[in-house]
Amino acid sequence: MQFWRFRCIVLFAFLLIDSSRSLALDSTRSSEIKECAAGEIATWGDGIDKPVAYKSLNFFYNSNGAPTWFNEKSVFDLIQLAANGWSECGISAQVSIDNQLHNLQTNDIVIQWSDSKSQGNIGASDFAQRKIYLSPSVFKTLREIRPNYDAKYTLQMTLSHEMGHFYGLVAHSRRCVDVLSYYKNNTGDLCNIRERSEFSKVIEYRSALPTACDIKRCQSINN
Ligand SMILES: [Zn+2]
C-alpha cells in the first residue's frame, strides 16, 4: 500500500525580511506568474506526477482547531479561490464545510488543522488518507513574529500548494514563483528565477495562487 506524505512548506525566510519591502512590486515576478515561457517548467524531481483519476474533486473544510483569527468563512473563501485557480487545469472542484467525521469518497479531500499531522510544517498532504493538514502553531508563531502581516496570504499559498498535489502535481516545482515550488534543496541548490536579484525584494516570492506554469504542468499531466 502506498503511503505518500509530503512535508511541503516550512516556515520561510520571509520572517526575517522587512515587510515594507514587499510594497516594491516587481514586474518580473508578476510576469512570471502570468506567463510560462518555453522550457521554464522544471521540478526538483522529488516525486512522480500522476493524473487525477476523477473528473472532479470535492474539498471539505473542517474548521476544528483553527486559529481564532481565521474564521470558517474566510478559510472557505480561500479554498474556493484556490479551487477556482486550479480549475483552469480542466478539473472542477466542489468546496464545502464539513466539521463532522466524513466517510470519504475516492475523489474527496479533507482540509483540517493538526499540529501533530503537519509535523512542524505549515502544511502537509497525506495522499493515502486524502487529507491536507494545516498547522495552527506555525500560524500562531507567524502572528507573534509579524503581528501586522496579513497571514491570509500565507494561508492562501499553503492551500493552493497542498491542493495542487491532489491535482496530480506530485513533484515540487523548481521555478521559484510557482505555488508548487520550494526555494532550496538539502544540498543548497536554488530554485529557478528570471532575475535572481528580485528574489529578496518581496516577503514571499512564491505566488499565492497557481501560476501559468503550474496550470500548464497540470494540463500536461492530466490531458
Ligand atoms: Zn508540497
Side-chain angles (χ1 to χ4, degrees):
M1 180 175 157
Q2 284 177 309
F3 180 76
W4 292 337
R5 168 170 289 167
F6 275 100
R7 293 185 172 188
C8 284
I9 305 181
V10 293
L11 202 54
F12 323 102
F14 69 71
L15 295 175
L16 305 172
I17 297 169
D18 184 342
S19 61
S20 63
R21 295 174 69 184
S22 68
L23 297 175
L25 289 176
D26 60 292
S27 59
T28 306
R29 179 173 176 273
S30 303
S31 61
E32 280 184 300
I33 289 171
K34 289 184 211 138
E35 305 152 6
C36 186
E40 276 195 322
I41 291 180
T43 74
W44 286 100
D46 60 346
I48 297 168
D49 294 338
K50 191 180 173 195
V52 177
Y54 319 101
K55 286 183 179 165
S56 65
L57 296 172
N58 301 313
F59 290 97
F60 292 94
Y61 175 53
N62 180 335
S63 64
N64 291 323
T68 52
W69 54 94
F70 289 139
N71 72 53
E72 194 174 74
K73 175 67 165 60
S74 68
V75 180
F76 171 85
D77 289 345
L78 298 180
I79 296 169
Q80 187 69 65
L81 278 173
N84 290 349
W86 283 114
S87 71
E88 287 184 42
C89 177
I91 299 163
S92 62
Q94 280 280 121
V95 179
S96 316
I97 292 173
D98 186 348
N99 291 325
Q100 307 301 317
L101 282 176
H102 184 79
N103 288 324
L104 293 186
Q105 307 295 310
T106 49
N107 62 336
D108 292 349
I109 298 119
V110 172
I111 300 173
Q112 66 184 74
W113 295 87
S114 170
D115 278 326
S116 61
K117 300 284 189 181
S118 48
Q119 298 183 319
N121 303 285
I122 203 165
S125 290
D126 187 330
F127 293 131
Q129 298 296 318
R130 307 195 63 74
K131 298 266 179 78
I132 290 173
Y133 298 108
L134 304 167
S135 168
S137 66
V138 175
F139 278 96
K140 184 166 175 276
T141 302
L142 178 57
R143 188 176 168 88
E144 283 165 1
I145 296 172
R146 294 211 159 276
N148 297 321
Y149 170 71
D150 186 357
K152 269 191 193 169
Y153 181 91
T154 302
L155 181 55
Q156 180 72 81
M157 181 190 64
T158 306
L159 288 164
S160 300
H161 177 113
E162 302 301 339
M163 287 165 69
H165 284 310
F166 286 92
Y167 283 82
L169 292 82
V170 177
H172 287 96
S173 173
R174 190 155 176 177
R175 191 171 174 261
C176 306
V177 79
D178 289 344
V179 78
L180 254 297
S181 82
Y182 59 80
Y183 296 147
K184 195 180 192 178
N185 70 4
N186 291 337
T187 55
D189 299 322
L190 302 177
C191 58
N192 302 330
I193 189 168
R194 290 181 191 171
E195 287 291 335
R196 182 68 58 193
S197 63
E198 297 289 321
F199 184 78
S200 59
K201 289 185 180 173
V202 288
I203 291 177
E204 181 60 72
Y205 199 84
R206 182 173 11 213
S207 173
L209 291 166
T211 66
C213 277
D214 286 317
I215 294 299
K216 200 168 168 184
R217 188 171 141 220
C218 184
Q219 289 169 339
S220 72
I221 294 164
N222 287 289
N223 289 342

